[in-house]
Amino acid sequence: MTTRTIRSASPADAEAVCAIYNHYVDNTTISFEEAPVAPGEMAERIADVASLNLPWLVMCEDDKLIGYAYATKWRARAAYRFAVESSVYIDCDYAGKGAGTALYEALLMELRRRELHLVIGGIAQPNEASVRLHERLGFIKVAHFSEVGLKFGRWIDVGYWQLKLAPRENP
């Protein structure tokens, strides 16, 4: 029987994270990066997220890392400090099997624990699976930018979905 666990990422997870992410970089418009990310750079990204006291989670099935989810600042100005942008990536062999939902739910729990107010998901279009995931978790579409990215010689739209994590009084 297989066991799935979710834990905080560390820079030591960078190589496994790259194995998942670089598939999307090389083969899809889900990520707008155009060149594969090296493990050293990914380790820095993981450490940068942790340094901001934001979550970067990984899901393992037995000993294999099969997905990850994290949040980054939405914008740099202080007034935006309660809003974050989320990302979730699943090993393509495990897509559609509940890993993305479980990871996203764990990420949202961590964001609530940190008393954040709003999470924003940007989704390159079309991506029906990601739209369904976000909407199933309660996100609502709030924006659509037409032809905002160029990858593989074609223009790509991006939609934005948001989720208010909890009612919040003015701090």
Side-chain angles (χ1 to χ4, degrees), residues 70-99:
Y70 65 96
T72 56
K73 286 183 174 184
W74 169 243
R75 295 277 188 247
R77 301 227 195 296
Y80 292 115
R81 69 188 173 278
F82 296 105
V84 295
E85 185 170 7
S86 59
S87 293
V88 176
Y89 287 91
I90 302 298
D91 182 310
C92 59
D93 292 336
Y94 294 85
K97 299 176 182 174

mmCIF file of all heavy atoms in Angstrom, residues 70-99:
data_model
loop_
_atom_site.group_PDB
_atom_site.id
_atom_site.type_symbol
_atom_site.label_atom_id
_atom_site.label_comp_id
_atom_site.label_asym_id
_atom_site.label_seq_id
_atom_site.Cartn_x
_atom_site.Cartn_y
_atom_site.Cartn_z
ATOM 1 N N TYR A 70 3.211 26.118 -3.603
ATOM 2 C CA TYR A 70 3.816 27.188 -2.818
ATOM 3 C C TYR A 70 3.085 28.498 -3.053
ATOM 4 O O TYR A 70 2.268 28.624 -3.972
ATOM 5 C CB TYR A 70 5.304 27.334 -3.141
ATOM 6 C CG TYR A 70 5.610 27.781 -4.547
ATOM 7 C CD1 TYR A 70 5.834 29.127 -4.834
ATOM 8 C CD2 TYR A 70 5.680 26.865 -5.596
ATOM 9 C CE1 TYR A 70 6.122 29.543 -6.130
ATOM 10 C CE2 TYR A 70 5.973 27.275 -6.876
ATOM 11 C CZ TYR A 70 6.188 28.613 -7.142
ATOM 12 O OH TYR A 70 6.465 29.019 -8.423
ATOM 13 N N ALA A 71 3.407 29.482 -2.208
ATOM 14 C CA ALA A 71 2.849 30.818 -2.345
ATOM 15 C C ALA A 71 3.981 31.830 -2.346
ATOM 16 O O ALA A 71 4.999 31.643 -1.669
ATOM 17 C CB ALA A 71 1.884 31.113 -1.202
ATOM 18 N N THR A 72 3.798 32.876 -3.130
ATOM 19 C CA THR A 72 4.743 33.983 -3.174
ATOM 20 C C THR A 72 3.973 35.280 -2.960
ATOM 21 O O THR A 72 2.746 35.317 -3.104
ATOM 22 C CB THR A 72 5.477 34.050 -4.530
ATOM 23 O OG1 THR A 72 4.499 34.127 -5.585
ATOM 24 C CG2 THR A 72 6.357 32.831 -4.745
ATOM 25 N N LYS A 73 4.696 36.336 -2.646
ATOM 26 C CA LYS A 73 4.060 37.642 -2.503
ATOM 27 C C LYS A 73 3.338 37.995 -3.795
ATOM 28 O O LYS A 73 3.841 37.717 -4.885
ATOM 29 C CB LYS A 73 5.111 38.723 -2.242
ATOM 30 C CG LYS A 73 5.695 38.717 -0.875
ATOM 31 C CD LYS A 73 6.658 39.897 -0.757
ATOM 32 C CE LYS A 73 7.181 40.040 0.635
ATOM 33 N NZ LYS A 73 8.037 41.226 0.757
ATOM 34 N N TRP A 74 2.185 38.626 -3.659
ATOM 35 C CA TRP A 74 1.464 39.083 -4.841
ATOM 36 C C TRP A 74 2.165 40.298 -5.446
ATOM 37 O O TRP A 74 2.420 40.357 -6.636
ATOM 38 C CB TRP A 74 0.008 39.400 -4.494
ATOM 39 C CG TRP A 74 -0.733 40.110 -5.575
ATOM 40 C CD1 TRP A 74 -1.274 41.340 -5.523
ATOM 41 C CD2 TRP A 74 -1.013 39.620 -6.899
ATOM 42 N NE1 TRP A 74 -1.864 41.671 -6.725
ATOM 43 C CE2 TRP A 74 -1.713 40.623 -7.585
ATOM 44 C CE3 TRP A 74 -0.718 38.442 -7.573
ATOM 45 C CZ2 TRP A 74 -2.140 40.479 -8.908
ATOM 46 C CZ3 TRP A 74 -1.147 38.303 -8.889
ATOM 47 C CH2 TRP A 74 -1.855 39.310 -9.537
ATOM 48 N N ARG A 75 2.488 41.259 -4.635
ATOM 49 C CA ARG A 75 3.188 42.467 -5.059
ATOM 50 C C ARG A 75 4.123 42.903 -3.931
ATOM 51 O O ARG A 75 3.970 42.472 -2.792
ATOM 52 C CB ARG A 75 2.209 43.614 -5.357
ATOM 53 C CG ARG A 75 1.291 43.346 -6.528
ATOM 54 C CD ARG A 75 2.007 43.689 -7.833
ATOM 55 N NE ARG A 75 1.087 43.628 -8.939
ATOM 56 C CZ ARG A 75 1.154 42.729 -9.901
ATOM 57 N NH1 ARG A 75 2.076 41.812 -9.901
ATOM 58 N NH2 ARG A 75 0.291 42.750 -10.884
ATOM 59 N N ALA A 76 5.050 43.788 -4.246
ATOM 60 C CA ALA A 76 6.078 44.174 -3.273
ATOM 61 C C ALA A 76 5.611 45.226 -2.257
ATOM 62 O O ALA A 76 6.076 45.216 -1.128
ATOM 63 C CB ALA A 76 7.310 44.700 -4.006
ATOM 64 N N ARG A 77 4.725 46.111 -2.603
ATOM 65 C CA ARG A 77 4.335 47.189 -1.699
ATOM 66 C C ARG A 77 3.660 46.646 -0.437
ATOM 67 O O ARG A 77 2.947 45.653 -0.463
ATOM 68 C CB ARG A 77 3.412 48.160 -2.405
ATOM 69 C CG ARG A 77 4.035 48.795 -3.635
ATOM 70 C CD ARG A 77 3.828 50.288 -3.657
ATOM 71 N NE ARG A 77 4.074 50.950 -4.913
ATOM 72 C CZ ARG A 77 5.217 51.043 -5.551
ATOM 73 N NH1 ARG A 77 6.268 50.440 -5.094
ATOM 74 N NH2 ARG A 77 5.341 51.721 -6.669
ATOM 75 N N ALA A 78 3.879 47.335 0.676
ATOM 76 C CA ALA A 78 3.419 46.866 1.990
ATOM 77 C C ALA A 78 1.911 46.632 2.052
ATOM 78 O O ALA A 78 1.457 45.700 2.724
ATOM 79 C CB ALA A 78 3.837 47.858 3.073
ATOM 80 N N ALA A 79 1.136 47.418 1.362
ATOM 81 C CA ALA A 79 -0.316 47.267 1.432
ATOM 82 C C ALA A 79 -0.796 45.914 0.887
ATOM 83 O O ALA A 79 -1.896 45.471 1.219
ATOM 84 C CB ALA A 79 -1.003 48.409 0.674
ATOM 85 N N TYR A 80 0.031 45.266 0.084
ATOM 86 C CA TYR A 80 -0.315 43.964 -0.484
ATOM 87 C C TYR A 80 0.093 42.790 0.409
ATOM 88 O O TYR A 80 -0.031 41.642 0.018
ATOM 89 C CB TYR A 80 0.369 43.769 -1.842
ATOM 90 C CG TYR A 80 -0.130 44.665 -2.947
ATOM 91 C CD1 TYR A 80 0.717 45.612 -3.510
ATOM 92 C CD2 TYR A 80 -1.418 44.544 -3.457
ATOM 93 C CE1 TYR A 80 0.283 46.422 -4.550
ATOM 94 C CE2 TYR A 80 -1.852 45.351 -4.486
ATOM 95 C CZ TYR A 80 -1.004 46.286 -5.039
ATOM 96 O OH TYR A 80 -1.436 47.076 -6.065
ATOM 97 N N ARG A 81 0.587 43.040 1.607
ATOM 98 C CA ARG A 81 1.212 41.994 2.432
ATOM 99 C C ARG A 81 0.280 40.858 2.831
ATOM 100 O O ARG A 81 0.750 39.811 3.265
ATOM 101 C CB ARG A 81 1.867 42.610 3.666
ATOM 102 C CG ARG A 81 0.907 43.178 4.688
ATOM 103 C CD ARG A 81 1.671 43.942 5.774
ATOM 104 N NE ARG A 81 0.801 44.644 6.687
ATOM 105 C CZ ARG A 81 0.254 45.840 6.453
ATOM 106 N NH1 ARG A 81 0.478 46.463 5.312
ATOM 107 N NH2 ARG A 81 -0.520 46.406 7.353
ATOM 108 N N PHE A 82 -1.021 41.023 2.678
ATOM 109 C CA PHE A 82 -1.955 39.959 3.051
ATOM 110 C C PHE A 82 -2.451 39.173 1.833
ATOM 111 O O PHE A 82 -3.359 38.350 1.948
ATOM 112 C CB PHE A 82 -3.135 40.533 3.837
ATOM 113 C CG PHE A 82 -2.712 41.125 5.159
ATOM 114 C CD1 PHE A 82 -2.652 42.498 5.327
ATOM 115 C CD2 PHE A 82 -2.346 40.306 6.213
ATOM 116 C CE1 PHE A 82 -2.244 43.048 6.529
ATOM 117 C CE2 PHE A 82 -1.935 40.842 7.425
ATOM 118 C CZ PHE A 82 -1.883 42.223 7.587
ATOM 119 N N ALA A 83 -1.865 39.436 0.670
ATOM 120 C CA ALA A 83 -2.248 38.739 -0.563
ATOM 121 C C ALA A 83 -1.046 37.972 -1.113
ATOM 122 O O ALA A 83 0.081 38.467 -1.099
ATOM 123 C CB ALA A 83 -2.750 39.739 -1.609
ATOM 124 N N VAL A 84 -1.300 36.760 -1.577
ATOM 125 C CA VAL A 84 -0.251 35.929 -2.157
ATOM 126 C C VAL A 84 -0.740 35.315 -3.459
ATOM 127 O O VAL A 84 -1.938 35.241 -3.721
ATOM 128 C CB VAL A 84 0.192 34.795 -1.193
ATOM 129 C CG1 VAL A 84 0.852 35.361 0.053
ATOM 130 C CG2 VAL A 84 -0.973 33.879 -0.829
ATOM 131 N N GLU A 85 0.228 34.868 -4.260
ATOM 132 C CA GLU A 85 -0.073 34.126 -5.485
ATOM 133 C C GLU A 85 0.347 32.679 -5.265
ATOM 134 O O GLU A 85 1.399 32.409 -4.688
ATOM 135 C CB GLU A 85 0.665 34.721 -6.671
ATOM 136 C CG GLU A 85 0.285 34.063 -7.987
ATOM 137 C CD GLU A 85 0.832 34.788 -9.206
ATOM 138 O OE1 GLU A 85 1.630 35.730 -9.057
ATOM 139 O OE2 GLU A 85 0.451 34.382 -10.318
ATOM 140 N N SER A 86 -0.470 31.763 -5.718
ATOM 141 C CA SER A 86 -0.205 30.339 -5.497
ATOM 142 C C SER A 86 0.213 29.644 -6.784
ATOM 143 O O SER A 86 -0.124 30.082 -7.881
ATOM 144 C CB SER A 86 -1.463 29.657 -4.953
ATOM 145 O OG SER A 86 -2.535 29.806 -5.869
ATOM 146 N N SER A 87 0.955 28.544 -6.608
ATOM 147 C CA SER A 87 1.346 27.676 -7.716
ATOM 148 C C SER A 87 1.291 26.231 -7.238
ATOM 149 O O SER A 87 1.684 25.941 -6.109
ATOM 150 C CB SER A 87 2.771 27.985 -8.180
ATOM 151 O OG SER A 87 2.844 29.262 -8.750
ATOM 152 N N VAL A 88 0.820 25.355 -8.093
ATOM 153 C CA VAL A 88 0.756 23.921 -7.798
ATOM 154 C C VAL A 88 1.181 23.175 -9.049
ATOM 155 O O VAL A 88 0.678 23.447 -10.148
ATOM 156 C CB VAL A 88 -0.666 23.483 -7.394
ATOM 157 C CG1 VAL A 88 -0.740 21.990 -7.176
ATOM 158 C CG2 VAL A 88 -1.144 24.221 -6.159
ATOM 159 N N TYR A 89 2.110 22.242 -8.881
ATOM 160 C CA TYR A 89 2.569 21.407 -9.991
ATOM 161 C C TYR A 89 2.600 19.956 -9.539
ATOM 162 O O TYR A 89 3.092 19.654 -8.451
ATOM 163 C CB TYR A 89 3.976 21.828 -10.455
ATOM 164 C CG TYR A 89 3.972 23.126 -11.206
ATOM 165 C CD1 TYR A 89 4.143 24.327 -10.539
ATOM 166 C CD2 TYR A 89 3.778 23.148 -12.584
ATOM 167 C CE1 TYR A 89 4.135 25.532 -11.224
ATOM 168 C CE2 TYR A 89 3.765 24.343 -13.276
ATOM 169 C CZ TYR A 89 3.939 25.530 -12.588
ATOM 170 O OH TYR A 89 3.920 26.723 -13.278
ATOM 171 N N ILE A 90 2.090 19.074 -10.385
ATOM 172 C CA ILE A 90 2.014 17.643 -10.098
ATOM 173 C C ILE A 90 2.761 16.884 -11.188
ATOM 174 O O ILE A 90 2.633 17.206 -12.377
ATOM 175 C CB ILE A 90 0.537 17.162 -10.062
ATOM 176 C CG1 ILE A 90 -0.264 17.953 -9.011
ATOM 177 C CG2 ILE A 90 0.435 15.667 -9.817
ATOM 178 C CD1 ILE A 90 0.214 17.792 -7.598
ATOM 179 N N ASP A 91 3.521 15.881 -10.786
ATOM 180 C CA ASP A 91 4.155 14.980 -11.753
ATOM 181 C C ASP A 91 3.064 14.502 -12.709
ATOM 182 O O ASP A 91 1.992 14.061 -12.283
ATOM 183 C CB ASP A 91 4.771 13.801 -10.988
ATOM 184 C CG ASP A 91 5.494 12.813 -11.873
ATOM 185 O OD1 ASP A 91 4.916 12.365 -12.893
ATOM 186 O OD2 ASP A 91 6.623 12.452 -11.526
ATOM 187 N N CYS A 92 3.327 14.608 -14.010
ATOM 188 C CA CYS A 92 2.277 14.297 -14.993
ATOM 189 C C CYS A 92 1.758 12.866 -14.866
ATOM 190 O O CYS A 92 0.615 12.589 -15.227
ATOM 191 C CB CYS A 92 2.742 14.609 -16.403
ATOM 192 S SG CYS A 92 4.205 13.720 -16.932
ATOM 193 N N ASP A 93 2.545 11.937 -14.314
ATOM 194 C CA ASP A 93 2.066 10.569 -14.109
ATOM 195 C C ASP A 93 1.033 10.470 -12.995
ATOM 196 O O ASP A 93 0.353 9.450 -12.863
ATOM 197 C CB ASP A 93 3.235 9.630 -13.783
ATOM 198 C CG ASP A 93 4.168 9.431 -14.968
ATOM 199 O OD1 ASP A 93 3.723 9.613 -16.124
ATOM 200 O OD2 ASP A 93 5.349 9.104 -14.735
ATOM 201 N N TYR A 94 0.913 11.513 -12.180
ATOM 202 C CA TYR A 94 -0.006 11.498 -11.037
ATOM 203 C C TYR A 94 -1.147 12.493 -11.196
ATOM 204 O O TYR A 94 -1.994 12.605 -10.311
ATOM 205 C CB TYR A 94 0.769 11.787 -9.742
ATOM 206 C CG TYR A 94 1.752 10.706 -9.404
ATOM 207 C CD1 TYR A 94 3.028 10.708 -9.964
ATOM 208 C CD2 TYR A 94 1.409 9.655 -8.568
ATOM 209 C CE1 TYR A 94 3.944 9.698 -9.685
ATOM 210 C CE2 TYR A 94 2.312 8.639 -8.276
ATOM 211 C CZ TYR A 94 3.575 8.679 -8.844
ATOM 212 O OH TYR A 94 4.465 7.670 -8.560
ATOM 213 N N ALA A 95 -1.189 13.214 -12.298
ATOM 214 C CA ALA A 95 -2.232 14.213 -12.534
ATOM 215 C C ALA A 95 -3.605 13.541 -12.603
ATOM 216 O O ALA A 95 -3.738 12.432 -13.115
ATOM 217 C CB ALA A 95 -1.946 14.974 -13.821
ATOM 218 N N GLY A 96 -4.596 14.228 -12.067
ATOM 219 C CA GLY A 96 -5.972 13.732 -12.106
ATOM 220 C C GLY A 96 -6.268 12.633 -11.110
ATOM 221 O O GLY A 96 -7.302 11.980 -11.194
ATOM 222 N N LYS A 97 -5.392 12.455 -10.124
ATOM 223 C CA LYS A 97 -5.576 11.384 -9.144
ATOM 224 C C LYS A 97 -5.697 11.916 -7.718
ATOM 225 O O LYS A 97 -5.432 11.203 -6.757
ATOM 226 C CB LYS A 97 -4.423 10.390 -9.245
ATOM 227 C CG LYS A 97 -4.344 9.722 -10.620
ATOM 228 C CD LYS A 97 -3.155 8.811 -10.735
ATOM 229 C CE LYS A 97 -3.093 8.221 -12.142
ATOM 230 N NZ LYS A 97 -1.892 7.430 -12.364
ATOM 231 N N GLY A 98 -6.051 13.193 -7.586
ATOM 232 C CA GLY A 98 -6.293 13.770 -6.271
ATOM 233 C C GLY A 98 -5.111 14.449 -5.611
ATOM 234 O O GLY A 98 -5.274 15.109 -4.585
ATOM 235 N N ALA A 99 -3.931 14.311 -6.178
ATOM 236 C CA ALA A 99 -2.748 14.911 -5.550
ATOM 237 C C ALA A 99 -2.833 16.434 -5.558
ATOM 238 O O ALA A 99 -2.502 17.080 -4.553
ATOM 239 C CB ALA A 99 -1.476 14.441 -6.250
#
